[in-house]
Structure formats: structure tokens, C-alpha cells
Amino acid sequence: MFNRNRYLRQLAAITSTTLVAACGTLTSGSPADEGPIVVGTTSAPSTLDPAGSWDGSWELFRNIYQTLLSYPTGSVAPRPDAAAKCGFTDGTNSVYRCELRRDMKFSDGDPLDASAVKYSIERIRKIGVSGGPAGLLGSLERVQVLGSRVVLFHLNKSDATFPLVLATPAMSIVDPRHYPADALRDDDKVFGSGPYRLRSYTEGKKAELVRNDHYDGFADRRNDAVTIRYFQDSAQLVGALRNKKIDVTYRGLAASDVVALQSRGARKDIQLIDGTGTEISYLVFNPKDPWAGKLAVRHAIAQVVDRPAIAHKVYRDTVDPLYSMVPAGLAGHTTGYFDEYGSPSPSRARKILHDAGIDRRVPLTLWYTTDRYGSETDPEFRELKRQLDGSGLFTVTLRSRPWKTYEAGYRGGEYPVFGRGWFPDFPDAENFIAPFVGERNALGTPYPVPRITDDLLPESRGVRDRGAVVKEFEEAQRILVDDARLLPLWQGRQYVAANEEISGAERTLDPSTIMMMWELERKTSW
């Protein structure tokens, strides 16, 4: 993908695979007589409507909806899916044209045409959910339909990343007959055109996916049905895997579970696929809070936080310390926070506060979600509290909520400091900066940074060779470090664990680390 193959190829194919040795010959076949493959995760969707989600709900969307472009197995660049072909029509990256496949249909048999694509994209902006996917469409001026199969996207500025936006599950195509133009669906029904259709859904518990007979796209489905089970914590998740109540687990493995599974003696009949990932964890500071809104307080916290201690003590070295919002492995990555603050130092933090006239302990409330990012979230925030309290400069109170109410709280500006995780929409440095800045962003908290939003991002979007825009992203990250409103903590790896009867797990993750469940299949003989 745009000269970034040398940076990103590792994201397209999960490597360093560790498999349990077995005897005999493996063959694969139809799993129809063995029931659905069961996948476990701790990341339950917040909604079933693509217009309302800019979060982990995309995991489900990728499999039940379809986008114009997507990522075939092994590809680091988006390729046509619902579309037969797509491309810019000009040299300025400002008009993007897609031609649909012929005779496309939704899962209920309704026709999927260019008007349905236009309707799906326009309703995202019309509904305009706070912190929702409308923030991805900042460069879109209008959508034009030519006949039944051609869609033109007219952009208000050059944007070489627009194809990457179209490949995100946020741009899923929905059936206009079943989705209102100005409101989200709030039931458990889905009308899409993806590889699977949603047969049934129980919020927070289970999603049953079965083959969509009307699907027309690049996915080569290796199974007929997948059931996704949602767990509250990793202990339940791994217990279900060991007891063969689920076949595969992804998102939610605790560090202790990964370490145990990496041990040949403890692993037994479970295979662990270990690969480089671009998930990040970070803190967000509310500028309207009387303490978190003070620049000196944020700088002092940045000076105290010990990322290696979090990575080692809490995550058992299954994550790496992160010193910029752009993770390692992407063009534009820097180590800005380390360059600015070096090693953790309470004495230097004390001077920062003293120079700002703050000579008392700073009271802070740190919020985190209990059921979104795995069971280490609680000990991670306890470690942050230990570090900040232990500096003698802060008095930290911890508060937490389940994701459903937690999300509403941060979008409403309720939290002084809160934790977030980020799985990329697409594998580009842009996607680790643009979503968090501007009046409308993924955090629901306005963060106006004109130099980034008005200059640096537009300049970078005019260049298709993404390896040639490193300087723009480096400057953007210097600005973010100076503001310290976003404090990166760590970058994760991606782990998929599966029972030995399952094959294809190493092929399931696309470059945005979203699971393509059609790649999973059962081994039919040994």
C-alpha cells in the first residue's frame, strides 16, 4: 500500500505462528454437519447500525455488511468488493469513481445499486452521531449516482486516503428500505450484503451468522456458519476455549493467558498465533476540567508515567511502550514523548508544577471501562494510580463503568481523564491523528488544532505515496506532544488462540486487525 509495503506487510499476514505438533494428515472440508465455528471475544458491538459506530462493532460489521472496497486475504491495500472497480478520475485525488458488480443484492433479495450506496453514505452524515463515523467523511463534498452501477465521490479537497475510508466497515452498505435516513435502527435486525447474514442476536451475549446466499464479493467462505459469543472477562473466555465451548478466541486474551499459552506444556491442544499489531492504548485529558485542563498538570503526568513498568508488570511484555500516537511499523512513527521527557522523573514533574504555581497535590479522577479492552485494564489503571500517587504530586481516584455507559460518559464530557484503546480504521499514520482532532472527532470532545487539521493533514492527503509524507506526521506529533491532551501508553500485539481442530486462524486478520471469519474452517481428518 503506497510504498508502505515495507512498513506494513507484516500487518497483512500474521507471523511468528506457534502451532501444536500433531500426527497424521490434515484435510479440510465443509463443516456443515459439525455445527457453526464458535468465536469468543470480549469486544461486544455497541450497535448493529454502521452509521452509529466508530468502535469495535466493526468486527461484526465486516462479516455481515459489505463495503465498496475491502482487504482480501494477504493484501495490504484495499481492493474492490461490492465494487467491480474503483479509482481516482483525476490527478488531484478529488474525484473517486466506483462501478458496482452486476446484479448485486442484499441478504433479503432487495437490489443493491448505486442509489443504495449513496443513501448509505449520506445517512452517516445526516444522522451525525457524536463521536461516530461521520468524522471519517470530512473530505467528502457530495455523492453522485450515474445510472444503476456507478457512484462518484466528489471531495472538497485532495484526499489520497479516501479509498481507505471507503474500505472501513463504517462505510457499510445498508438496504434503504430497512434503514431510516435520519435515525439509527435500534433493534436486532440487519439488512446487509456481506458474506454472512445475521440469523439472531442477543445483546452482549451472542451473534449467530449463517452463509448469505446472495453474497457477491471476493470472500472465499470456508465455513457455512459462525457464532460469536461475547464474554465479560478473559478468564471466562479462555476457560471456554480450554473446555471446547468455543473454537477460536480473539480480542480479550489476558497477558497471563498469552504467557501460559506460549508455554508448550500449558498449551496442550491449543494453537496460538502471535503477530505484530497496531492497537494502541492512551489517556485522554478533558480541557474543560479545572485540573486536567491545565497544561502543566498534563506535562507533569507525562513526566511521571512509567510505560515500561506498565508493559512489564501488568502486561507481562505482551505489549510495548508507546511514545507517540502513531505506532511503530507505520511510516511517520516517532518517539516524541520519550524525546521530550526521557525516563520517568517525579522531581522534574514537581518542577513543572512549581513553575506553574502549583505546589499542592493535584486531585484527579481517572476513568476506565470494565469490559472493553480485556481484564488487564483494571490493574493497568491501578498501576497508573500507584505511579501518580507515589510521586507525591497527585491524589488519584479511580472510577469505571461498562462500555455501554462509559462511552456515553466520555462523549458527554463527563470525565476529567479517561482511558481509550484504538484499533485502526486503516493502516496509515493519518488514522492515528485525524480521528482525535478537530471539532468532530472519535472522542466526542472537540480538539481544535488548526495547524494539523487545516495544513498538515490536507497536505499529506494530496500525496498517494504515503511514505513521502513522514515530515507532516512528525510535525503533527510534535504538536500533540506539546499539548499532551493525548498520552499514548502502549502498543499491542495481536494474538489469536484456536483449538487444534481449526485451521485458517493465521489468515483471519486484515491490515486493520479485523477478523475475517470466513477464513476459519474445521480440519476433517487427522
Side-chain angles (χ1 to χ4, degrees):
M1 185 184 283
F2 31 58
N3 261 2
R4 50 188 177 271
N5 289 359
R6 64 183 184 274
Y7 303 104
L8 301 177
R9 193 171 303 280
Q10 57 187 332
L11 297 174
I14 299 302
T15 57
S16 303
T17 305
T18 306
L19 299 176
V20 181
C23 298
T25 301
L26 302 181
T27 61
S28 298
S30 172
D33 58 344
E34 300 185 44
I37 291 176
V38 183
V39 176
T41 177
T42 60
S43 183
S46 60
T47 177
L48 297 183
D49 191 328
S53 170
W54 198 351
D55 60 26
S57 304
W58 290 8
E59 198 81 54
L60 178 59
F61 295 173
R62 175 62 80 206
N63 293 276
I64 57 177
Y65 292 105
Q66 196 174 15
T67 46
L68 290 171
L69 301 100
S70 190
Y71 295 93
T73 301
S75 174
V76 294
R79 297 285 184 261
D81 188 7
K85 56 184 177 181
C86 291
F88 283 105
T89 65
D90 60 349
T92 63
N93 302 326
S94 58
V95 179
Y96 196 72
R97 181 185 186 275
C98 284
E99 181 178 329
L100 293 174
R101 296 172 183 259
R102 294 184 182 276
D103 303 319
M104 294 289 289
K105 293 181 180 180
F106 289 103
S107 58
D108 61 352
D110 284 354
L112 190 168
D113 57 15
S115 295
V117 175
K118 182 177 189 291
Y119 182 92
S120 299
I121 302 299
E122 289 182 340
R123 75 185 288 267
I124 294 172
R125 295 204 298 186
K126 188 170 185 178
I127 295 171
V129 171
S130 175
L136 288 167
L137 294 172
S139 64
L140 179 63
E141 181 177 297
R142 63 187 176 94
V143 184
Q144 179 185 5
V145 169
L146 299 178
S148 63
R149 293 178 55 210
V150 175
V151 186
L152 292 179
F153 298 94
H154 296 271
L155 310 182
N156 52 35
K157 51 195 170 187
S158 296
D159 188 358
T161 70
F162 190 72
L164 306 181
V165 172
L166 288 180
T168 68
M171 303 300 128
S172 295
I173 306 166
V174 300
D175 189 340
R177 191 165 68 89
H178 296 288
Y179 289 78
D182 56 359
L184 299 176
R185 285 190 67 108
D186 59 0
D187 59 11
D188 59 357
K189 305 299 182 185
V190 165
F191 298 90
S193 60
Y196 302 96
R197 60 180 177 86
L198 185 65
R199 183 168 66 183
S200 68
Y201 179 74
T202 304
E203 184 175 353
K205 300 293 184 182
K206 182 171 63 173
E208 294 184 330
L209 282 55
V210 295
R211 178 183 289 258
N212 173 15
D213 292 333
H214 292 295
Y215 172 71
D216 183 9
F218 63 66
D220 179 14
R221 291 166 294 187
R222 299 170 185 268
N223 61 70
D224 289 331
V226 172
T227 294
I228 307 172
R229 288 185 55 194
Y230 302 109
F231 292 82
Q232 294 297 310
D233 60 57
S234 62
Q236 296 175 346
L237 185 69
V238 174
L241 180 67
R242 291 188 183 280
N243 293 326
K244 297 189 179 297
K245 293 182 178 179
I246 62 175
D247 300 302
V248 183
T249 179
Y250 175 57
R251 294 217 197 282
L253 283 175
S256 57
D257 298 320
V258 171
V259 172
L261 290 171
Q262 286 172 334
S263 165
R264 179 171 295 275
R267 205 169 54 240
K268 297 183 179 178
D269 295 336
I270 295 175
Q271 53 182 313
L272 181 70
I273 294 89
D274 168 8
T276 301
T278 51
E279 170 194 3
I280 68 170
S281 177
Y282 60 100
L283 294 179
V284 182
F285 294 87
N286 187 342
K288 295 183 178 180
D289 181 77
W291 287 109
K294 295 180 183 296
L295 182 62
V297 169
R298 301 196 299 270
H299 283 178
I301 292 172
Q303 185 63 75
V304 168
V305 168
D306 188 342
R307 294 170 179 82
I310 294 171
H312 180 68
K313 294 171 61 176
V314 178
Y315 288 94
R316 309 278 296 274
D317 298 317
T318 60
V319 304
D320 297 311
L322 182 63
Y323 296 93
S324 74
M325 290 299 289
V326 177
L330 297 185
H333 167 71
T334 71
T335 54
Y337 272 97
F338 185 83
D339 298 340
E340 180 69 23
Y341 297 100
S343 299
S345 172
S347 62
R348 289 198 294 268
R350 186 182 299 277
K351 185 177 187 305
I352 292 171
L353 293 174
H354 177 76
D355 290 347
I358 303 172
D359 291 306
R360 53 163 291 189
R361 275 184 176 259
V362 175
L364 284 176
T365 300
L366 272 59
W367 282 84
Y368 62 96
T369 180
T370 57
D371 59 354
R372 190 66 175 179
Y373 304 120
S375 59
E376 276 93 2
T377 307
D378 179 77
E380 175 183 358
F381 274 76
R382 294 189 182 281
E383 172 62 17
L384 283 168
K385 172 179 168 60
R386 186 197 67 79
Q387 293 177 10
L388 295 172
D389 285 350
S391 71
L393 304 174
F394 303 94
T395 300
V396 172
T397 301
L398 297 180
R399 293 284 184 269
S400 61
R401 286 177 178 170
W403 177 255
K404 199 80 172 183
T405 53
Y406 180 78
E407 182 184 29
Y410 74 68
R411 287 185 176 180
E414 184 179 342
Y415 310 145
V417 186
F418 60 96
R420 277 295 312 267
W422 184 253
F423 300 95
D425 306 325
F426 49 83
D428 188 273
E430 149 113 7
N431 196 233
F432 291 88
I433 295 176
F436 311 122
V437 297
E439 292 297 328
R440 298 179 66 183
N441 60 51
L443 302 173
T445 302
Y447 184 8
V449 198
R451 175 60 179 156
I452 295 178
T453 57
D454 298 348
D455 300 325
L456 297 174
L457 290 177
E459 289 170 11
S460 73
R461 289 167 181 156
V463 181
R464 295 188 195 181
D465 179 0
R466 306 303 291 167
V469 292
V470 170
K471 289 183 178 179
E472 287 85 348
F473 290 124
E474 288 177 344
E475 182 179 346
Q477 289 175 89
R478 283 195 295 271
I479 294 170
L480 295 181
V481 170
D482 289 343
D483 285 349
R485 277 183 53 176
L486 304 169
L487 188 68
L489 297 174
W490 51 260
Q491 173 179 351
R493 298 182 64 81
Q494 295 302 326
Y495 296 94
V496 177
N499 287 321
E500 62 179 351
E501 295 87 358
I502 298 297
S503 66
E506 72 280 1
R507 300 190 302 267
T508 56
L509 301 186
D510 75 7
S512 298
T513 65
I514 293 175
M515 181 172 275
M516 302 178 291
M517 302 202 185
W518 57 83
E519 291 288 354
L520 298 169
E521 58 185 325
R522 295 190 189 279
K523 302 169 184 174
T524 57
S525 64
W526 291 86

